[in-house]
Amino acid sequence: MWLPTRLARPGLLQRLHAAPFVADTESGEENRRRGVRFVLDWLQAQPGDTWQQRLLASGAGQDGRTDWRTMPIRRRKATTGFDCRFDTAVLGTGLLTRICADVMRPEPAWLLTPATPKRLAAEMARTRDPAGFAELTALCQANPVGESTTRVALHRVAVIMAVKGGGVADITVGDCLQLLDVAADVCT
């Protein structure tokens, strides 16, 4: 297992509450921190020694047709009586932060579906590999590639990074082919 997934809660919070994960605005950062804690509380209640094992045990991060956000919301309501359905946006931000920090690596099929956290490519570009994404974006702009094609390509690069770890330069042809196979199965 890779190091960030083995971090204990205090070390993980210290990592996730520091640059480059901090949001640009005060309200954005407040929501992001609330989401990080919400997801952390939910996953900490799952069996496993690492955050990756807990994610797998939770059942989230595998089937993108299931809205994973209902799982932590149900748990919080069952344990506290508090109905927090309005927190779905902060849940996505909390999970996205953990994915970008390489704390968890969801299944590629899950990351290619609509119920997954939004803004994966933008956050990977901001937090994990700004230079790599800037170079890819410049290459797309220098060639006759449409905006929608560029957006899909950058999202898929971010998916590979989320699943495998590392940065843009670490992606191999085999990673791309594997993702195309998964996409053919889930993106009908």
Side-chain angles (χ1 to χ4, degrees):
M1 286 285 164
W2 59 101
L3 179 62
T5 196
R6 295 189 318 248
L7 289 173
R9 186 180 178 121
L12 179 60
L13 283 173
Q14 183 177 9
R15 175 176 163 81
L16 298 179
H17 289 173
F21 305 108
V22 177
D24 295 337
T25 66
E26 187 175 323
S27 63
E29 178 59 11
E30 183 180 317
N31 284 333
R32 191 191 68 79
R33 283 180 180 238
R34 194 169 83 228
V36 165
R37 283 190 310 272
F38 198 158
V39 172
L40 189 93
D41 292 345
W42 165 58
L43 286 175
Q44 197 158 20
Q46 307 301 318
D49 295 326
T50 68
W51 298 107
Q52 179 70 16
Q53 291 169 349
R54 293 176 183 131
L55 175 68
L56 295 173
S58 76
Q62 296 165 31
D63 182 359
R65 295 167 300 211
T66 302
D67 187 354
W68 67 273
R69 295 169 293 196
T70 61
M71 296 173 187
I73 288 171
R74 275 194 315 263
R75 181 193 172 277
R76 177 168 278 183
K77 188 171 184 177
T79 58
T80 67
F82 182 67
D83 187 6
C84 52
R85 285 175 290 176
F86 65 90
D87 277 336
T88 57
V90 300
L91 278 168
T93 301
L95 190 65
L96 184 60
T97 300
R98 296 167 71 90
I99 292 169
C100 290
D102 202 23
V103 174
M104 326 187 275
R105 297 179 181 172
E107 293 295 319
W110 184 76
L111 289 167
L112 293 174
T113 58
T116 61
K118 308 297 183 227
R119 303 179 328 276
L120 179 63
E123 282 300 296
M124 282 289 198
R126 186 179 79 81
T127 61
R128 191 180 298 180
D129 192 357
F133 274 92
E135 185 177 345
L136 281 178
T137 302
L139 288 169
C140 289
Q141 290 172 348
N143 292 294
V145 177
E147 185 180 328
S148 60
T149 302
T150 298
R151 192 173 42 254
V152 169
L154 293 176
H155 176 72
R156 291 195 173 171
V157 165
V159 166
I160 293 170
M161 290 169 55
V163 170
K164 304 278 185 170
V168 172
D170 300 314
I171 295 174
T172 67
V173 172
D175 295 333
C176 296
L177 293 173
Q178 183 181 22
L179 187 65
L180 285 174
D181 284 342
V182 172
D185 289 341
V186 298
C187 299
T188 56

